[in-house]
Amino acid sequence: MLEELCIKALDNKVDWEKETSREITSDASSSFAEITCLPNLTALDVSMPEANCLPQHVNTLPNWTRFHIHIGFSFIFDDDIPIKLKISRSMTLCNTEISTLPNWFKRVVLSKAEALLFYNVSNQDVRKLFVESDFQLYLSKCDLKILVVRYCDGIKSLLNVMELDSESKEIALMDNLEELHLKKLENFRRICHGQLPNGSFKKLRILRINKCDKLRSLLSPSLARSLSQLEEIEIKDCKVLKEIIAKDAEMVQVEEKIVFPQLKIIKLCYLKNITSFYLGSAPIECPSLEQVKVYECQKMKVFASRLQNTPEPKLIEGGDGDLKWYERDVNNAMQFQHEFLRIWRLFCRLVKPLRNHLREKEEGIKNQLDKLKKDWLADAELVTLSSLRDKEALNAERWSTAESWVDEVEHHLIRIGLLRPEEIPNMQFFRTMELLYQLIRPLVHFVGLRYHKLQELIQELSKLKERWRKDPQLRKLVSSSSSVGEPTSSIRWKIAERWKGDFERHLGSSGLLPVVGCTTERIRKFFQVMKLFVKMDPLDNYLNWRLGWDPKLKQMVKNCSKELEHHWVMDPELMTLISSPKEGLREKKKNIAERWRDEFKHQVISLGLLPDGDTPEHIKEVSHQLAQI
């Protein structure tokens, strides 16, 4: 008697091959009904294009102890294969609504499945699985171990406890679930909406999230405390995710610690806005932590604000995959990684001319860099950088560190014969030039943006380059690089600062910078105030709304803005900001921005775009109403 059966259905008129070699070519649902009547059949592996292939009623409920059933368009992901190998009972739904499944099938398959895989299932249907009263009992007593949800754009939360009745809110949900895989859920915001009953997710071991672009935080503190068996967290490519565990407002007074007793592996990749794992007030403990990987998470400076009873992981990977720390404190490693990557990018720019010069010997310099990179990871200056708060001092220190690394590379290359000492002057020029570009960046941006003469600016810069290449202090820098005295990085800063003044004078004399006394520092302050002005300007959304369908008015406002910006660059208070002490500096910037806002409002009223008498508060209210539309 037939005990195991494997079927592949291509359309509603199926051609099923069995071990008996008998073919069935009748209606799909009646053919499947024949299978349900096989008394000794215990193992079934079947794929069908739609739920219509299932009969609505069966005479006898089948007793399948092992099954893998796929309903819907047959696309299979490679990472689903190991999931099915781990368990004996699975059901996959592709573009198939749960409501279309017959009741007998739900009892025989859905209630016994160890793995459920959903692809392109609508929001309503996924919610039905988790909310309808028929399935509340199922969620509390099911055998479900693995749940996979992919490409379900409508789903916002996995469990909506708010919609459960009062009795169901006391029943633990998914208490046997061991693995949760979520991918490409465009509107997914949270795992659970509302307070989960005690004991929910208590056996969860693996949590993997990928491409959920509206997810801001993954776990609430209460949910995190219930994950006592969690062993692995893997989060990838979630654009707005800021933290793994959310800071809970209720945690201000109650500081009950969060413990992950079994957590061994944490992987965070391509999360451009993440700042931490957890920054709340409660202590966090991971006593079994072995491996941490943080890749392309440029804003992550700290792992947790209060990390306790957590051993130094055996391996911490970060940056571009080459950065590895062994037996290192997690918080310390995150700070090192953040500063190291900032300095490494500066270093790569500084070393670029050296790479170009040694292109035919690329392999030699690459090997040297790989060897030195490991030493630089332990650079003592990185520790001091992590505690610096002054941005200008921090930037200068980063440049200094990066330049010292370049000096070390040059020294090693000379020692092994890949670089001759007489080739160094050109390198020194490019390194100083790169520093100059950083110093004059706001000036170049201002000229290019305001006067549309960027091409003239580039030509002017090219003329000056040849003169700067013969700078006597630069030549002296080359010969003094090995002597004891002032650090070469400090000398380069002074040369670049002098070149900057030279560049500003040439811009003024050539008419590219018509504002008298408009130095780079003044323009930098101007941009800071302008940024503050735009941020606090309530007219922005209002004008965009008014001008959306009137290009003439739009051009009038644009011309008005340009005229005012040119006028504001000459604001006398901007010059005083350059020499102002840091105490109260932001308040001064805000006062200037407030005055500019009033002036801009007056100009807008004169153009007839704003009724006279409307206050900024009124415009703010109108803008808020427009945002709700």
Side-chain angles (χ1 to χ4, degrees):
M1 300 295 289
L2 188 64
E3 295 181 358
E4 298 185 14
L5 181 61
C6 180
I7 306 170
K8 186 174 183 180
L10 300 179
D11 52 35
N12 282 345
K13 295 293 183 179
V14 294
D15 182 7
W16 290 342
E17 292 185 7
K18 301 192 294 184
E19 291 182 11
T20 60
S21 298
R22 184 168 65 88
E23 294 186 353
I24 300 174
T25 56
S26 58
D27 179 78
S29 60
S30 62
S31 300
F32 199 92
E34 294 182 35
I35 296 173
T36 63
C37 296
L38 297 173
N40 296 316
L41 186 65
T42 57
L44 177 64
D45 190 341
V46 60
S47 176
M48 61 190 75
E50 55 188 27
N52 289 339
C53 295
L54 298 169
Q56 289 300 310
H57 305 282
V58 294
N59 296 326
T60 306
L61 291 178
N63 185 28
W64 300 326
T65 57
R66 291 184 292 125
F67 56 80
H68 296 292
I69 299 176
H70 185 114
I71 303 175
F73 298 114
S74 298
F75 59 91
I76 298 175
F77 295 91
D78 292 339
D79 48 353
D80 291 343
I81 297 172
I83 288 176
K84 292 180 178 179
L85 291 175
K86 283 191 281 188
I87 45 88
S88 57
R89 299 185 298 276
S90 72
M91 186 184 77
T92 302
L93 292 181
C94 297
N95 298 286
T96 302
E97 298 180 0
I98 297 170
S99 58
T100 61
L101 301 176
N103 289 331
W104 72 266
F105 186 79
K106 294 177 183 178
R107 290 177 60 186
V108 171
V109 175
L110 190 61
S111 62
K112 295 180 181 179
E114 294 178 313
L116 291 178
L117 298 90
F118 296 95
Y119 304 109
N120 287 334
V121 179
S122 68
N123 177 30
Q124 182 182 6
D125 297 309
V126 175
R127 281 181 55 219
K128 280 184 179 179
L129 177 64
F130 300 131
V131 176
E132 281 189 349
S133 59
D134 291 346
F135 293 106
Q136 290 171 20
L137 185 63
Y138 158 73
L139 284 172
S140 63
K141 294 186 177 180
C142 66
D143 295 327
L144 185 62
K145 295 180 179 178
I146 301 174
L147 178 62
V148 179
V149 185
R150 290 183 176 145
Y151 303 96
C152 301
D153 295 343
I155 186 171
K156 293 183 179 180
S157 60
L158 198 62
L159 293 173
N160 193 342
V161 181
M162 306 298 289
E163 296 188 10
L164 298 178
D165 55 53
S166 56
E167 292 183 4
S168 300
K169 287 182 180 180
E170 302 300 322
I171 302 174
L173 303 177
M174 294 194 175
D175 53 346
N176 286 318
L177 191 70
E178 295 181 5
E179 296 186 24
L180 178 60
H181 304 258
L182 306 177
K183 182 176 181 179
K184 203 74 169 85
L185 309 180
E186 291 188 358
N187 291 294
F188 184 72
R189 287 173 168 80
R190 60 183 70 86
I191 289 180
C192 177
H193 183 48
Q195 183 71 34
L196 274 172
N198 292 334
S200 301
F201 292 103
K202 65 181 180 182
K203 292 184 180 179
L204 188 67
R205 295 188 302 104
I206 297 174
L207 177 59
R208 290 181 180 151
I209 314 288
N210 192 357
K211 293 183 182 295
C212 296
D213 290 341
K214 291 190 178 178
L215 182 67
R216 292 187 176 275
S217 60
L218 181 61
L219 306 172
S220 65
S222 58
L223 177 56
R225 288 190 183 89
S226 68
L227 303 179
S228 59
Q229 299 300 312
L230 190 64
E231 296 178 7
E232 180 181 343
I233 295 178
E234 182 178 302
I235 317 295
K236 291 183 178 180
D237 206 7
C238 298
K239 293 181 180 178
V240 300
L241 186 73
K242 290 189 174 182
E243 53 197 353
I244 304 303
I245 305 176
K247 295 189 290 291
D248 198 332
E250 298 177 358
M251 295 288 295
V252 176
Q253 300 297 330
V254 182
E255 296 189 356
E256 183 185 350
K257 63 183 177 182
I258 300 172
V259 183
F260 294 104
Q262 304 298 327
L263 186 59
K264 298 176 182 177
I265 299 173
I266 298 174
K267 294 181 181 179
L268 309 175
C269 305
Y270 305 106
L271 307 174
K272 62 181 182 180
N273 283 304
I274 192 169
T275 57
S276 66
F277 187 86
Y278 175 61
L279 281 184
S281 57
I284 184 169
E285 297 183 5
C286 305
S288 303
L289 194 60
E290 295 180 357
Q291 182 180 346
V292 177
K293 181 177 181 179
V294 180
Y295 183 76
E296 289 295 325
C297 302
Q298 297 179 5
K299 293 184 179 180
M300 190 166 182
K301 297 182 181 180
V302 65
F303 184 80
S305 55
R306 296 182 64 184
L307 190 63
Q308 299 177 358
N309 192 26
T310 299
E312 296 180 344
K314 296 177 182 177
L315 175 63
I316 300 176
E317 294 182 72
D320 56 3
D322 292 337
L323 307 184
K324 290 182 174 65
W325 291 268
Y326 300 92
E327 303 292 343
R328 190 73 168 271
D329 175 77
V330 183
N331 271 337
N332 184 265
M334 292 300 103
Q335 293 173 349
F336 264 64
Q337 175 184 310
H338 180 76
E339 288 302 335
F340 181 85
L341 290 175
R342 296 291 296 268
I343 296 171
W344 182 256
R345 293 185 193 103
L346 290 174
F347 167 78
C348 289
R349 288 210 301 267
L350 292 171
V351 85
K352 187 177 179 180
L354 189 61
R355 281 186 178 276
N356 293 338
H357 183 75
L358 299 171
R359 190 166 293 161
E360 69 280 2
K361 304 172 184 176
E362 184 69 28
E363 193 60 37
I365 190 173
K366 184 179 183 303
N367 292 338
Q368 286 297 308
L369 286 181
D370 290 342
K371 189 185 297 182
L372 290 170
K373 199 172 185 180
K374 294 179 181 178
D375 297 334
W376 292 333
L377 283 172
D379 195 315
E381 287 189 42
L382 286 178
V383 181
T384 59
L385 284 179
S386 301
S387 59
L388 279 175
R389 294 293 176 265
D390 189 316
K391 289 186 178 180
E392 292 185 7
L394 184 59
N395 189 45
E397 286 296 324
R398 285 174 182 148
W399 271 91
S400 177
T401 305
E403 289 202 332
S404 69
W405 292 357
V406 179
D407 287 333
E408 197 170 346
V409 172
E410 289 177 349
H411 173 75
H412 276 75
L413 291 175
I414 291 173
R415 184 172 54 81
I416 63 177
L418 285 174
L419 186 68
R420 296 190 301 275
E422 56 270 23
E423 295 170 337
I424 293 295
N426 213 32
M427 309 303 163
Q428 296 284 18
F429 170 74
F430 280 114
R431 285 162 67 181
T432 312
M433 196 72 193
E434 184 66 43
L435 183 57
L436 171 69
Y437 281 138
Q438 296 300 312
L439 293 172
I440 66 173
R441 181 178 289 174
L443 186 65
V444 173
H445 179 63
F446 176 83
V447 174
L449 188 65
R450 296 300 186 280
Y451 303 105
H452 309 288
K453 294 183 178 180
L454 195 56
Q455 197 58 43
E456 291 182 42
L457 176 68
I458 293 171
Q459 292 174 359
E460 191 70 29
L461 199 59
S462 299
K463 291 178 185 176
L464 291 172
K465 268 186 184 179
E466 291 306 313
R467 197 180 80 189
W468 290 335
R469 200 182 287 270
K470 300 173 183 177
D471 192 306
Q473 199 171 356
L474 184 69
R475 292 180 176 273
K476 185 180 178 182
L477 175 67
V478 177
S479 60
S480 64
S481 58
S482 58
S483 62
V484 178
E486 189 176 5
T488 55
S489 60
S490 174
I491 298 174
R492 266 190 290 272
W493 270 91
K494 289 181 179 179
I495 296 174
E497 285 279 1
R498 181 161 46 81
W499 288 0
K500 183 184 70 172
D502 194 11
F503 184 53
E504 288 168 354
R505 286 191 297 273
H506 273 75
L507 287 180
S509 62
S510 62
L512 284 171
L513 195 63
V515 182
V516 179
C518 196
T519 62
T520 310
E521 285 74 16
R522 188 170 182 176
I523 288 174
R524 187 181 285 112
K525 295 291 183 186
F526 167 75
F527 279 134
Q528 290 174 359
V529 177
M530 178 61 73
K531 186 177 180 181
L532 187 61
F533 161 75
V534 172
K535 188 176 181 181
M536 64 192 293
D537 178 25
L539 292 175
D540 189 37
N541 290 335
Y542 178 80
L543 289 176
N544 285 336
W545 174 66
R546 285 285 310 273
L547 305 176
W549 56 83
D550 194 333
K552 288 185 179 179
L553 284 177
K554 191 172 185 178
Q555 188 60 42
M556 288 172 65
V557 172
K558 188 176 180 181
N559 293 338
C560 169
S561 298
K562 277 192 172 183
E563 185 179 340
L564 286 173
E565 284 173 4
H566 184 247
H567 171 67
W568 290 333
V569 175
M570 301 170 67
D571 194 313
E573 283 192 58
L574 279 178
M575 183 60 76
T576 62
L577 285 180
I578 297 173
S579 56
S580 295
K582 291 187 178 179
E583 296 79 14
L585 187 58
R586 180 172 177 80
E587 192 61 33
K588 289 183 180 179
K589 291 177 184 175
K590 188 176 179 181
N591 291 338
I592 297 174
E594 284 275 9
R595 181 161 46 80
W596 290 1
R597 186 182 68 172
D598 292 339
E599 191 174 348
F600 182 56
K601 178 192 165 190
H602 175 73
Q603 291 286 339
V604 171
I605 291 173
S606 67
L607 290 173
L609 292 173
L610 184 67
D612 196 359
D614 277 5
T615 64
E617 288 70 27
H618 172 68
I619 298 303
K620 201 168 188 177
E621 182 181 343
V622 174
S623 300
H624 178 71
Q625 292 173 354
L626 291 173
Q628 305 303 316
I629 299 176

